[in-house]
Amino acid sequence: MTAVVLATACALVYGTADFLGGLATRRSRVLPVVALSQTAGLALILALLPLLPGALSGQALLWGLGAGLAGAGGLVLFYRALATGVMSVVAPVAAVTSAALPVLFGLATGDRPEPMALAGVALALGAVLLVSQDRSAARGGSFASVLVALAAGAGFGGFFVLLAMAPDGSGLWPLVGARLSSVTLVALIAVTTGRALRPGRGALPVIAAAGMLDMAANVLYLLAQRQGMLSLVAVLVSLYPASTLLLARQVLGERLHPIQITGVACALGAVALIAVA
């Protein structure tokens, strides 16, 4: 039950971070938002290290570095897919892939959830697909953009898998490694493309909040994964788009489409099934 609570809280915090990140991109270019939010997250995890101490080891940092590269690479590919395709195709492909990969990895490496929990996993994957639909976007999209979206989802899923491989006693050190590698990668992209990292006017507080919430969600994921099975924790965490949608509805007054409302209902059902299993 502890893992379910932590994973569900993680999804809520991830969704809030994504909502704030979306607001920030309305005031600033994408690269400064990514770079500065990642830096804010690094500052937070360094401050949290004394509160959740662990053994610093090469393994912890290496798994974290790999996770950070996978996550940052997935983000770059996701934006690339959006540039060449349409959100109504790219978003659900990436979302379901990022959810399915840790589930398959967990089952392949020994996770044996109860039948009711497996039903919850199936319902959750369907929920991710439904809430990621954007009917306001134009239809279409190239096959190449779908392949890039698959690769982006694999990057996001790889982030969860690689973090789960870090030693249990390593505390928050894997997240330090993950954030160091992602900040370095984004900085290299900025240098090689000659793009400035100055945020738009008034965007910095929102960017910092998004980055710190994203890191807080990472901490919740790491704690949840250590308490439960990866195949269940990761799929609960992947329900974060539902909270982003609800925030957009409440704060911005954005209209939810019936298919997305169905997805939110499926997400709640999935949490309930996994919790009682």
Side-chain angles (χ1 to χ4, degrees):
M1 179 61 75
T2 301
V4 173
V5 172
L6 289 171
T8 304
C10 176
L12 293 172
V13 178
Y14 265 138
T16 305
D18 274 9
F19 174 74
L20 292 177
L23 289 182
T25 58
R26 297 184 177 188
R27 307 178 186 179
S28 185
R29 294 182 182 274
V30 169
L31 193 59
V33 170
V34 174
L36 295 175
S37 65
Q38 296 281 297
T39 304
L42 176 60
L44 177 63
I45 198 62
L46 290 175
L48 290 177
L49 274 175
L51 301 179
L52 292 169
L56 173 59
S57 66
Q59 270 194 326
L61 288 178
L62 284 175
W63 285 118
L65 287 169
L69 289 175
L75 189 62
V76 171
L77 289 169
F78 183 68
Y79 284 126
R80 174 63 179 169
L82 289 178
T84 58
V86 291
M87 185 170 288
S88 59
V89 175
V90 168
V93 168
V96 173
T97 305
S98 67
L101 184 62
V103 172
L104 294 174
F105 181 84
L107 293 174
T109 53
D111 284 358
R112 294 295 179 266
E114 296 293 329
M116 188 174 293
L118 285 175
V121 168
L123 188 59
L125 292 175
V128 173
L129 179 62
L130 293 175
V131 299
S132 301
Q133 296 291 331
D134 181 8
R135 295 303 186 191
S136 63
R139 294 187 180 276
S142 67
F143 179 67
S145 68
V146 173
L147 291 179
V148 177
L150 284 169
F156 295 145
F159 174 81
F160 293 128
V161 170
L162 291 171
L163 272 186
M165 299 296 291
D168 287 342
S170 55
L172 300 180
W173 284 107
L175 291 176
V176 175
R179 196 43 50 97
L180 283 172
S181 62
S182 62
V183 168
T184 302
L185 179 61
V186 174
L188 286 174
I189 292 173
V191 170
T192 55
T193 59
R195 296 181 183 178
L197 296 179
R198 179 176 298 176
R201 180 174 297 180
L204 188 57
V206 180
I207 293 172
M212 288 188 284
L213 283 173
D214 179 71
M215 180 52 72
N218 288 340
V219 173
L220 288 170
Y221 165 74
L222 202 62
L223 295 176
Q225 181 273 319
R226 290 170 180 171
Q227 295 288 328
M229 288 181 281
L230 176 63
S231 55
L232 300 183
V233 168
V235 78
L236 288 175
V237 170
S238 71
L239 296 173
Y240 68 88
S243 57
T244 304
L245 283 177
L246 293 176
L247 279 171
R249 174 69 181 87
Q250 293 299 318
V251 178
L252 302 179
E254 293 185 3
R255 179 173 173 269
L256 296 184
H257 301 288
I259 192 171
Q260 293 173 317
I261 296 173
T262 302
V264 172
C266 289
L268 295 174
V271 173
L273 284 173
I274 293 174
V276 301

